[in-house]
Amino acid sequence: ADILRLWVASTDYTGELSIGDEILKRVTESYRRIRNTLRFLLANTSDFDPAKDAVPVADMLEIDRYAIAAMAQLQGDIAGHFERYEFHPVVARLQNYCSEDLGGFYLDILKDRLYTTGVESTARRSAQTALWHVANALLRVMAPILSFTAEEAWAVFAGQQAYAESDETIFTQTLWNFPQVGDGEALLAKYAALRDVRADVTKQLEEVRASGAIGSSLQAELAIKAAGDKYALLASLDDDLKFVFITSQASVEQVADAANEAVSVTPSDAEKCERCWHYRRDVGHDHAHPGLCGRCTSNLFGSGEARR
């Protein structure tokens, strides 16, 4: 039923409507992408209680504040389309958001922090706080179209958040009220520029991977030469730069002008940590845990790594 609803909503009703097996296959793929995104959001907030685990916005990591700003912008845009009875742009924005903004960028980067930092660490709880806000908004904006899926997901989401009985259905909810994250426009601009750089770097990583020099991107060490604003952008992430590119190491060096900019990809000669899969030279530093790197032993048995 939801796939048919999605087909109706994704079709521009001011012209002719087309339907067929191939069209429905494409719609099914779109539906699956949105549903899988929801599954990720629900799974990774299953141990999160906003009443006691939510991180104040001021203490959240910058990329998590960006995720909230991006979803707030999307919710505003979609609400405007609904007001004008424009349903096909809503579907296009939802699909693009789930596959590109979340799946291709934010969630891709987030996995390391969700899975390897301490369960109660600020780094992980900050990520979960952002995911909780994103899930709240996403379920609301998709409910008019993917009604059965939204209601099914809401039963899980609202149940694990221990909402009151009056909130048991998604259809009594109004648009989500996001917290203020500071200068949202500046955050969106910064991460749009970062995504452009990431796209270029990913292309080079793929070329090296295709040559057989590396297996996954985590086997690579990056050395980036950048000038001007691009250098300032990359340098602002400091040691966390490697997580954005999903490599084991990333450094940035300032050069005089754009003509001298370059990206060097080198296969790592370090050992692979059996827990986080990063290639690090401190793997085996703790004899009690020979397969673990320094940050994993810190996250498991110590004070935990600092994340920016």
Side-chain angles (χ1 to χ4, degrees), residues 201 204-205 208 220-225 249 251 262-266:
V201 171
Q204 299 208 34
L205 284 169
V208 177
E221 295 182 359
L222 279 181
I224 303 171
K225 293 181 179 178
Q249 194 172 310
S251 61
V263 177
S264 169
V265 180
T266 312

Side-chain angles (χ1 to χ4, degrees), residues 37-49:
T37 301
L38 278 180
R39 290 178 65 183
F40 184 95
L41 295 174
L42 294 179
N44 284 286
T45 53
S46 60
D47 68 333
F48 178 78
D49 180 353

Side-chain angles (χ1 to χ4, degrees), residues 177-213:
N177 187 22
F178 286 96
Q180 291 297 316
V181 292
D183 191 346
E185 291 298 321
L187 275 174
L188 292 171
K190 174 177 181 175
Y191 278 85
L194 193 60
R195 286 176 67 172
D196 288 341
V197 177
R198 187 177 187 259
D200 293 338
V201 171
T202 301
K203 199 181 297 179
Q204 299 208 34
L205 284 169
E206 277 301 308
E207 288 173 4
V208 177
R209 197 167 70 86
S211 73

